[in-house]
Amino acid sequence: MTNTAAFDAPLTIDPDAVLVVIDVQKGFEDHTFWGPRDNPEAERRIGELIDAWQATDRPVVVVQHASQSGPLVPGTPGYELKDVVARVRADLHITKPVNSAFYGTPDLHAWLRERGARQVVIVGIMTNVCNETTARMAGNLGYDAVFPTDAMHTFDMVGPDGVTVPAAELARATATVLHAMRFAKVVTTGAVLAAATADRAAAIG
């Protein structure tokens, strides 16, 4: 997990921090399949971070989930990226068959090590599934993982007791675990943008 002293320090964004945009695909608009979601502002926040990263020449990684069934099957309309991400000049495009972006092609960990990058900012869909899994792995691999929870969303889910847990509660549980167990810095988009701007100004100055 992330070093405690570094975790408790004020948020800074490295000049080469990597924005990892996970599974922002049209198939997640199929609410008859997924059910109700939380955070309707997620795509707008993702777009704000993409714009900031590209304006400051920071690297962006786009991740796309390839399912064998359901709305995210390659070659179907649902597999396509939503417009906010489809326009991105990605430095790396990863296709993954499972939850973690670290288990995709090309290899994210190898690419980050080759660049010497130590910080990843994780956004996208779903908060408590692919985003959380990627953040946990990033923390375990020694990266400084930043997790702006308002730049992602999830869906209601049914537990083993048959009770439906609202998406907002699932997102809150994810934020709690990642924060309490020091897997990632749980923050807001505004905090990331402010730190990214400040750090870029300091680097130029």
Side-chain angles (χ1 to χ4, degrees):
M1 290 182 289
T2 303
N3 176 272
T4 300
F7 185 92
D8 292 330
L11 178 65
T12 59
I13 298 297
D14 292 350
D16 63 347
V18 178
L19 182 66
V20 182
V21 184
I22 298 177
D23 302 350
V24 184
Q25 293 166 252
K26 293 181 179 179
F28 284 114
E29 296 172 355
D30 183 355
H31 298 299
T32 60
F33 183 89
W34 300 104
R37 63 172 276 183
D38 68 337
N39 192 17
E41 296 295 310
E43 285 83 356
R44 184 161 71 89
R45 301 301 185 199
I46 292 167
E48 290 172 354
L49 288 165
I50 288 172
D51 288 344
W53 250 248
Q54 300 212 306
T56 54
D57 294 322
R58 288 182 168 98
V60 177
V61 171
V62 172
V63 183
Q64 209 163 354
H65 193 91
S67 295
Q68 294 185 349
S69 61
L72 306 177
V73 175
T76 68
Y79 181 72
E80 296 176 5
L81 296 168
K82 294 189 181 188
D83 291 346
V84 68
V85 179
R87 61 182 174 81
V88 174
R89 304 185 307 274
D91 294 86
L92 181 70
H93 186 283
I94 294 172
T95 302
K96 65 178 179 60
V98 293
N99 304 125
S100 175
F102 285 97
Y103 286 114
T105 305
D107 185 296
L108 176 59
H109 184 40
W111 185 82
L112 291 169
R113 285 188 299 174
E114 183 179 346
R115 294 182 64 92
R118 57 169 291 277
Q119 187 177 57
V120 291
V121 179
I122 297 166
V123 302
I125 307 170
M126 296 185 267
T127 307
N128 60 323
V129 185
C130 295
N131 293 5
E132 180 177 354
T133 304
T134 300
R136 285 172 178 254
M137 280 201 68
N140 282 334
L141 289 169
Y143 294 103
D144 178 16
V146 180
F147 203 80
T149 54
D150 57 347
M152 57 187 73
H153 76 81
T154 189
F155 300 90
D156 293 2
M157 295 184 181
V158 179
D161 56 1
V163 175
T164 297
V165 181
E169 290 187 23
L170 295 169
R172 183 181 180 190
T174 286
T176 300
V177 171
L178 293 180
H179 169 78
M181 300 308 296
R182 301 304 201 247
F183 284 111
K185 295 175 181 174
V186 179
V187 296
T188 65
T189 296
V192 174
L193 292 172
T197 302
D199 290 351
R200 175 62 64 170
I204 294 173

